[in-house]
Short mmCIF file of all heavy atoms in Angstrom, two decimals:
data_model
loop_
_atom_site.label_atom_id
_atom_site.label_comp_id
_atom_site.label_asym_id
_atom_site.label_seq_id
_atom_site.Cartn_x
_atom_site.Cartn_y
_atom_site.Cartn_z
N GLY A 1 58.52 -11.16 51.38
CA GLY A 1 57.06 -11.16 51.40
C GLY A 1 56.46 -12.49 51.73
O GLY A 1 57.10 -13.55 51.64
N SER A 2 55.19 -12.43 52.13
CA SER A 2 54.43 -13.62 52.50
C SER A 2 52.98 -13.45 52.09
O SER A 2 52.44 -12.34 52.14
CB SER A 2 54.47 -13.87 54.00
OG SER A 2 55.81 -14.02 54.45
N VAL A 3 52.38 -14.57 51.66
CA VAL A 3 50.95 -14.61 51.38
C VAL A 3 50.36 -15.82 52.11
O VAL A 3 50.90 -16.91 52.01
CB VAL A 3 50.65 -14.73 49.87
CG1 VAL A 3 49.13 -14.76 49.64
CG2 VAL A 3 51.25 -13.56 49.10
N VAL A 4 49.26 -15.61 52.83
CA VAL A 4 48.65 -16.67 53.63
C VAL A 4 47.19 -16.83 53.23
O VAL A 4 46.49 -15.84 52.98
CB VAL A 4 48.76 -16.37 55.12
CG1 VAL A 4 48.10 -17.45 55.96
CG2 VAL A 4 50.21 -16.19 55.55
N ASN A 5 46.74 -18.07 53.13
CA ASN A 5 45.33 -18.35 52.95
C ASN A 5 44.65 -18.04 54.28
O ASN A 5 44.87 -18.74 55.27
CB ASN A 5 45.09 -19.81 52.55
CG ASN A 5 43.64 -20.14 52.28
OD1 ASN A 5 42.75 -19.67 52.97
ND2 ASN A 5 43.41 -20.95 51.28
N ALA A 6 43.83 -17.00 54.31
CA ALA A 6 43.24 -16.55 55.58
C ALA A 6 42.23 -17.55 56.14
O ALA A 6 41.95 -17.54 57.35
CB ALA A 6 42.57 -15.19 55.37
N ALA A 7 41.70 -18.41 55.30
CA ALA A 7 40.71 -19.39 55.76
C ALA A 7 41.37 -20.59 56.42
O ALA A 7 40.83 -21.16 57.37
CB ALA A 7 39.83 -19.84 54.58
N THR A 8 42.57 -21.00 55.91
CA THR A 8 43.22 -22.20 56.41
C THR A 8 44.48 -21.92 57.20
O THR A 8 44.97 -22.80 57.90
CB THR A 8 43.58 -23.13 55.23
OG1 THR A 8 44.59 -22.48 54.40
CG2 THR A 8 42.37 -23.45 54.39
N GLY A 9 45.06 -20.73 57.03
CA GLY A 9 46.32 -20.40 57.69
C GLY A 9 47.54 -20.92 56.94
O GLY A 9 48.66 -20.75 57.42
N GLU A 10 47.33 -21.53 55.78
CA GLU A 10 48.45 -22.08 55.01
C GLU A 10 49.22 -20.95 54.33
O GLU A 10 48.65 -20.08 53.72
CB GLU A 10 47.94 -23.07 53.97
CG GLU A 10 49.02 -23.68 53.12
CD GLU A 10 48.49 -24.59 52.03
OE1 GLU A 10 47.24 -24.69 51.92
OE2 GLU A 10 49.30 -25.22 51.32
N VAL A 11 50.55 -21.00 54.43
CA VAL A 11 51.40 -20.04 53.75
C VAL A 11 51.51 -20.49 52.28
O VAL A 11 52.03 -21.58 52.00
CB VAL A 11 52.82 -19.97 54.39
CG1 VAL A 11 53.71 -19.04 53.57
CG2 VAL A 11 52.72 -19.48 55.82
N LEU A 12 51.02 -19.68 51.37
CA LEU A 12 51.01 -20.03 49.98
C LEU A 12 52.27 -19.53 49.24
O LEU A 12 52.70 -20.14 48.27
CB LEU A 12 49.79 -19.45 49.26
CG LEU A 12 48.41 -19.86 49.83
CD1 LEU A 12 47.30 -19.27 48.97
CD2 LEU A 12 48.29 -21.36 49.91
N PHE A 13 52.82 -18.44 49.74
CA PHE A 13 53.96 -17.80 49.07
C PHE A 13 54.87 -17.25 50.13
O PHE A 13 54.41 -16.61 51.11
CB PHE A 13 53.44 -16.70 48.15
CG PHE A 13 54.52 -15.92 47.45
CD1 PHE A 13 55.07 -16.39 46.25
CD2 PHE A 13 55.01 -14.74 47.95
CE1 PHE A 13 56.04 -15.67 45.59
CE2 PHE A 13 55.98 -14.01 47.31
CZ PHE A 13 56.52 -14.47 46.11
N ASP A 14 56.16 -17.47 49.98
CA ASP A 14 57.11 -16.99 51.00
C ASP A 14 58.47 -16.65 50.35
O ASP A 14 59.04 -17.44 49.62
CB ASP A 14 57.33 -18.09 52.05
CG ASP A 14 58.25 -17.64 53.17
OD1 ASP A 14 59.49 -17.66 52.94
OD2 ASP A 14 57.77 -17.26 54.24
N ARG A 15 58.88 -15.43 50.60
CA ARG A 15 60.22 -15.00 50.24
C ARG A 15 60.85 -14.36 51.45
O ARG A 15 60.61 -13.21 51.78
CB ARG A 15 60.15 -13.99 49.08
CG ARG A 15 59.68 -14.54 47.77
CD ARG A 15 60.67 -15.57 47.18
NE ARG A 15 60.25 -16.00 45.85
CZ ARG A 15 59.38 -16.97 45.62
NH1 ARG A 15 58.83 -17.61 46.64
NH2 ARG A 15 59.07 -17.32 44.40
N ASN A 16 61.65 -15.15 52.17
CA ASN A 16 62.28 -14.67 53.41
C ASN A 16 61.26 -14.12 54.38
O ASN A 16 61.53 -13.14 55.09
CB ASN A 16 63.35 -13.61 53.09
CG ASN A 16 64.49 -14.13 52.24
OD1 ASN A 16 64.98 -15.24 52.48
ND2 ASN A 16 64.88 -13.38 51.23
N GLY A 17 60.14 -14.77 54.45
CA GLY A 17 59.07 -14.28 55.29
C GLY A 17 59.34 -14.31 56.77
O GLY A 17 58.67 -13.61 57.54
N SER A 18 60.26 -15.13 57.21
CA SER A 18 60.58 -15.20 58.64
C SER A 18 61.70 -14.25 59.03
O SER A 18 62.09 -14.20 60.21
CB SER A 18 60.97 -16.63 59.00
OG SER A 18 62.12 -17.04 58.28
N THR A 19 62.22 -13.49 58.08
CA THR A 19 63.33 -12.57 58.37
C THR A 19 62.81 -11.22 58.83
O THR A 19 62.08 -10.56 58.10
CB THR A 19 64.20 -12.37 57.10
OG1 THR A 19 64.67 -13.64 56.63
CG2 THR A 19 65.37 -11.46 57.40
N PRO A 20 63.14 -10.79 60.02
CA PRO A 20 62.70 -9.46 60.49
C PRO A 20 63.29 -8.36 59.62
O PRO A 20 64.47 -8.41 59.24
CB PRO A 20 63.25 -9.39 61.93
CG PRO A 20 63.52 -10.79 62.33
CD PRO A 20 63.92 -11.50 61.06
N ALA A 21 62.46 -7.39 59.28
CA ALA A 21 62.92 -6.30 58.40
C ALA A 21 62.12 -5.03 58.69
O ALA A 21 61.08 -5.07 59.32
CB ALA A 21 62.79 -6.69 56.95
N ARG A 22 62.61 -3.91 58.19
CA ARG A 22 61.93 -2.61 58.36
C ARG A 22 60.59 -2.68 57.64
O ARG A 22 60.46 -3.32 56.61
CB ARG A 22 62.82 -1.51 57.81
CG ARG A 22 63.04 -1.56 56.33
CD ARG A 22 64.26 -0.78 55.89
NE ARG A 22 65.49 -1.39 56.40
CZ ARG A 22 66.71 -1.09 55.91
NH1 ARG A 22 66.86 -0.22 54.94
NH2 ARG A 22 67.77 -1.69 56.41
N THR A 23 59.62 -2.01 58.23
CA THR A 23 58.21 -2.14 57.75
C THR A 23 57.66 -0.87 57.13
O THR A 23 56.66 -0.94 56.47
CB THR A 23 57.31 -2.49 58.93
OG1 THR A 23 57.34 -1.40 59.87
CG2 THR A 23 57.78 -3.76 59.63
N GLY A 24 58.32 0.27 57.39
CA GLY A 24 57.66 1.52 57.03
C GLY A 24 56.36 1.65 57.80
O GLY A 24 56.20 1.08 58.88
N SER A 25 55.42 2.37 57.23
CA SER A 25 54.19 2.66 57.95
C SER A 25 53.24 1.48 58.11
O SER A 25 52.21 1.60 58.77
CB SER A 25 53.44 3.81 57.27
OG SER A 25 54.13 5.02 57.47
N VAL A 26 53.60 0.33 57.53
CA VAL A 26 52.83 -0.90 57.81
C VAL A 26 52.84 -1.15 59.32
O VAL A 26 51.89 -1.74 59.87
CB VAL A 26 53.43 -2.09 57.04
CG1 VAL A 26 52.95 -3.41 57.63
CG2 VAL A 26 53.05 -2.00 55.56
N LEU A 27 53.85 -0.66 60.01
CA LEU A 27 53.93 -0.85 61.47
C LEU A 27 52.74 -0.22 62.20
O LEU A 27 52.38 -0.64 63.30
CB LEU A 27 55.22 -0.24 62.01
CG LEU A 27 55.53 -0.56 63.46
CD1 LEU A 27 55.96 -2.03 63.60
CD2 LEU A 27 56.59 0.34 64.03
#
């Protein structure tokens, strides 16, 4: 998972956020 500050673009929280993975219907 990943959480980003939408105003600044700063990644606040990251757990393997750069790893490609299945998305389900989020796609």
Side-chain angles (χ1 to χ4, degrees):
S2 301
V3 180
V4 179
N5 183 321
T8 66
E10 180 183 3
V11 177
L12 302 184
F13 177 85
D14 182 280
R15 293 294 185 275
N16 297 317
S18 61
T19 303
R22 66 201 66 164
T23 64
S25 289
V26 163
L27 190 73

